[in-house]
Amino acid sequence: MSRTFRVGTSWKMNKTIAETEAYLRELVAVALPPEVEVFVVPPFTALDAARRMIAGAPIRLGAQNMHWAEAGAHTGEISAPMLVECGVEIVELGHSERRADQGETDETVNAKVRAALAHGLRPLVCVGDRAEELAAGASTETVLRQVKMAFAGCDPATLAGAMVAYEPVWAIGEAGRVAEPEHVAAVHAGLRAGLASVGLADLPLLYGGSVDADNAAGLAAITDVDGVFVGRAAWTAAGLREVMTAAVAGWRGRIAA
Ligand code: PGA
């Protein structure tokens, strides 16, 4: 079992540079639980400011997307070397909003994972079942296929910092409802077992989708949940801290048992 619990937040298309500075000024001023890996994923325009604000603090920096190419005629895109130069360590790939809105596919996610690894970035691959797949009882096989496709052709020995976030499409955002603990437990256990057969048993499995301070402890208490990936509830520094406090309590209870 992983001895580190992960708590991350993507701000999606939110926060100016000034708002980023205010959030992180508040966050760096408090002591964070030592066994938690904390990461924030601001929009591109705030990455440099975020890097300066968290310098020396135990907070890691992520980006929300990148292109698979090193450079070139890809208007509006950002490359791995650009992220590395901004102090980015983690790159979120394949979020369902990007799969739905920007036509992200398992193939493009795989190309991005390979490029991220080639540049020393840690991919955080987001996978999720749609409501139709949930209704058909096909959640686990759907996300297992997405994870296998994302890491296809990658040497497991190169994946030390990589992560997966299980984020049911029906659980994300204003219209979402957090998944039942039994469902999360079943999908994470299925992912773990299925990934073991392709040498990927060690990939940390985070849960995301309507995580908040009320449900984080219960989610963190589930075997095979190695972290939580949070949207709305962590868009204030106080909100992130509340989720973190709850999650750590649930996780500590689990590993002490
Ligand atoms: P949410 O977003 O917590 O606002 O549902 C989660 C995500 O998209 O990662």
Side-chain angles (χ1 to χ4, degrees):
M1 180 195 298
S2 173
R3 304 308 291 182
T4 303
F5 195 79
R6 296 157 182 83
V7 179
T9 176
S10 168
W11 298 346
K12 307 192 181 184
M13 198 174 71
N14 295 290
K15 299 199 189 299
T16 60
I17 291 171
E19 289 164 347
T20 296
E21 289 171 345
Y23 182 115
L24 293 174
R25 190 172 296 120
E26 197 178 326
L27 193 62
V28 298
V30 298
L32 300 172
E35 68 273 63
V36 176
E37 179 175 85
V38 181
F39 61 94
V40 295
V41 188
F44 291 129
T45 47
L47 286 173
D48 190 53
R51 183 248 306 255
R52 282 186 277 103
M53 294 303 297
I54 63 178
I59 302 169
R60 297 167 195 277
L61 187 60
Q64 297 179 19
N65 177 43
M66 56 168 249
H67 198 275
W68 58 83
E70 294 258 322
H74 301 289
T75 301
E77 295 288 339
I78 299 284
S79 71
M82 294 171 187
L83 296 183
V84 170
E85 188 186 34
C86 276
V88 168
E89 177 179 330
I90 295 165
V91 61
E92 180 184 354
L93 299 172
H95 190 279
S96 65
E97 287 156 9
R98 292 198 56 83
R99 291 182 195 250
D101 300 346
Q102 270 79 33
E104 196 87 81
T105 65
D106 289 335
E107 288 71 27
T108 59
V109 172
N110 178 246
K112 293 176 180 194
V113 166
R114 290 161 176 261
L117 293 170
H119 288 275
L121 291 162
R122 299 169 54 191
L124 165 55
V125 172
C126 300
V127 297
D129 50 325
R130 294 172 296 124
E132 297 84 334
E133 287 150 345
L134 173 71
S139 298
T140 301
E141 61 200 77
T142 299
V143 294
L144 182 58
R145 183 187 50 77
Q146 291 173 352
V147 178
K148 285 181 176 175
M149 292 296 287
F151 291 100
C154 298
D155 177 356
T158 64
L159 300 180
M163 298 182 276
V164 167
Y166 169 48
E167 303 205 305
V169 177
W170 42 269
I172 291 174
E174 292 292 345
R177 57 178 174 85
V178 67
E180 297 294 331
E182 296 75 24
H183 177 82
V184 177
V187 173
H188 279 235
L191 271 177
R192 185 80 81 209
L195 291 174
S197 69
V198 289
L200 300 177
D202 293 337
L203 276 177
L205 305 176
L206 284 59
Y207 170 81
S210 295
V211 176
D212 62 23
D214 293 331
N215 58 37
L219 291 163
I222 298 170
T223 307
D224 292 319
V225 171
D226 303 313
V228 287
F229 192 33
V230 193
R232 290 155 296 146
W235 287 348
T236 64
L240 175 63
R241 287 172 53 203
E242 283 168 24
V243 171
M244 200 172 340
T245 302
V248 168
W251 183 70
R252 282 187 183 147
R254 178 196 349 154
I255 60 169

